[in-house]
């Protein structure tokens, strides 16, 4: 369970135990903030299935998370900073030790085209993108589906998945259903174009055991000469001396081709 604490320690931290918590100047709020610049009913926090979501209640000054003004329902996480007018607060999880964030490993989405052009959105955990106010990344674009796609950030790797949207997700101008994102990628959903900002991530490709293995021409020539010499020795009735040890792949190829030549030669002899 999270706590909401004042950065100036004006009063004790507040447990977010209720399903709905309101913040504002009016005395009927769960947390009363009598400061100038705070609306009567400024914002509210709702708890749903163990997660916390913050919404602005059409306040004049706006509600800010980590320095960014929220425009829809925003999922709260431990260590998020909340600004309501002049009041600075922070969400904390007493059961977890907060490690200092490594700014070099943070991921952002910057709007290149569309609503809030130029704005950067920090990414963490799982965040949905779409037209619904229930999305953590809410954009008012008619070409977007209500839940258009979802971003997943885990162990420093950022992925995106299309949630069955009507107009699809374009990654670097190619339509995708799911993909691992890299810094510098550009995404388009409806009329919104986003730039992926983050650390460089190297995706290790799996080894394909069925892939064709090509040998250098010089190696093929050596194998062919060896087969010719072996065939000539067998035709003369001489014993074939074992060759020096070869790499596994070359040795197998020589043996198979040698057997094929010897078998063909024996069939030819029997025909006479």
């Amino acid at each position: 369970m999270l706590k909401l604490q004042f950065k100036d320690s004006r009063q004790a931290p507040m447990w977010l135990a209720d399903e709905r918590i309101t913040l504002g100047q009016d005395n009927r709020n769960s947390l009363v903030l009598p400061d100038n610049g705070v609306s009567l009913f400024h914002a509210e926090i709702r708890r749903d299935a163990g997660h916390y979501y913050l919404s602005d209640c059409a306040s004049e000054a706006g509600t800010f998370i980590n320095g960014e003004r929220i425009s829809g329902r925003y999922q709260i996480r431990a260590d998020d900073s909340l600004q309501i007018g002049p009041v600075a607060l922070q969400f904390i999880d007493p059961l977890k030790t907060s490690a200092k964030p490594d700014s070099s490993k943070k991921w952002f989405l910057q709007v290149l085209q569309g609503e809030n052009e130029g704005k950067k959105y920090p990414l963490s955990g799982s965040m949905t993108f779409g037209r619904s106010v229930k999305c953590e990344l809410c954009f008012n674009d008619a070409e977007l589906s209500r839940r258009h796609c979802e971003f997943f950030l885990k162990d420093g790797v950022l992925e995106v998945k299309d949630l069955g949207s009507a107009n699809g997700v374009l990654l670097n101008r190619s339509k995708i259903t799911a993909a691992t994102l890299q810094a510098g990628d550009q995404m388009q959903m409806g009329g919104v174009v986003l730039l992926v900002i983050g650390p460089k991530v190297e995706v290790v490709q799996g080894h394909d055991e069925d892939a064709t293995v090509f040998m250098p021409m010089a190696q093929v020539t050596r194998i062919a000469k060896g087969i010719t010499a072996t065939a000539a020795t067998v035709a003369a009735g001489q014993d074939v001396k074992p060759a020096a040890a070869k790499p596994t792949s070359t040795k197998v190829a020589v043996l198979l081709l040698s057997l094929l030549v010897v078998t063909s030669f024996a069939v030819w002899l029997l025909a006479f």
Side-chain angles (χ1 to χ4, degrees):
M1 184 181 297
L2 296 182
K3 274 185 175 182
L4 183 60
Q5 69 176 11
F6 290 85
K7 289 190 175 181
D8 60 5
S9 302
R10 66 171 68 177
Q11 66 183 64
M14 173 184 181
W15 284 102
L16 303 182
D18 298 332
E19 291 187 0
R20 180 173 181 264
I21 297 171
T22 58
L23 304 89
Q25 280 197 8
D26 194 282
N27 290 329
R28 289 171 290 178
N29 285 288
S30 308
L31 181 60
V32 179
L33 304 173
D35 303 74
N36 293 329
V38 178
S39 299
L40 292 177
F41 294 93
H42 198 106
E44 71 170 14
I45 301 169
R46 287 185 178 271
R47 183 161 57 90
D48 184 11
H51 299 287
Y52 296 90
Y53 298 90
L54 174 70
S55 300
D56 183 79
C57 299
S59 65
E60 294 183 6
T63 302
F64 294 78
I65 288 288
N66 302 325
E68 300 285 348
R69 184 169 183 169
I70 63 171
S71 57
R73 194 178 187 216
Y74 183 91
Q75 184 175 351
I76 302 166
R77 293 173 175 82
D79 299 323
D80 281 344
S81 295
L82 171 62
Q83 187 78 31
I84 295 181
V87 183
L89 307 104
Q90 187 170 22
F91 297 96
I92 60 172
D93 186 349
L95 299 180
K96 295 181 180 179
T97 302
S98 176
K100 185 177 181 180
D102 185 354
S103 59
S104 65
K105 296 184 179 180
K106 286 188 176 181
W107 289 85
F108 299 88
L109 293 175
Q110 184 172 10
V111 183
L112 298 181
Q113 179 182 317
E115 183 182 4
N116 298 325
E117 183 174 332
K119 183 176 179 179
K120 289 198 303 184
Y121 293 87
L123 296 175
S124 59
S126 171
M127 301 180 71
T128 52
F129 174 96
R131 195 161 37 86
S132 172
V133 295
K134 294 183 179 181
C135 292
E136 288 80 19
L137 301 170
C138 177
F139 284 75
N140 186 22
D141 188 309
E143 296 182 31
L144 293 176
S145 298
R146 292 183 60 80
R147 296 180 74 251
H148 201 99
C149 65
E150 187 168 7
F151 293 93
F152 302 90
L153 180 58
K154 184 178 181 181
D155 298 329
V157 178
L158 180 62
E159 298 179 354
V160 64
K161 179 181 179 181
D162 189 349
L163 297 178
S165 62
N167 295 322
V169 176
L170 296 180
L171 174 60
N172 299 324
R173 299 184 179 181
S174 298
K175 192 171 184 179
I176 56 97
T177 56
T180 299
L181 300 176
Q182 299 280 350
D185 284 342
Q186 290 192 23
M187 303 184 62
Q188 180 170 356
M189 286 79 72
V192 180
V193 178
L194 302 174
L195 172 66
V196 179
I197 301 174
K200 182 179 179 181
V201 178
E202 295 183 0
V203 180
V204 179
Q205 301 293 337
H207 176 67
D208 187 357
E209 296 181 354
D210 296 328
T212 303
V213 178
F214 294 95
M215 288 187 285
M217 191 62 191
Q219 187 174 346
V220 175
T221 304
R222 288 196 299 270
I223 293 174
K225 289 181 178 179
I227 293 172
T228 303
T230 302
T233 303
V234 172
Q238 300 175 7
D239 294 333
V240 179
K241 295 182 179 181
K246 301 285 184 180
T248 303
S249 59
T250 303
K251 187 175 181 179
V252 172
V254 171
L255 289 174
L256 290 176
L257 290 174
S258 299
L259 287 173
L260 178 61
V261 171
V262 171
T263 303
S264 300
F265 185 72
V267 172
W268 179 77
L269 288 175
L270 291 174
F272 288 91

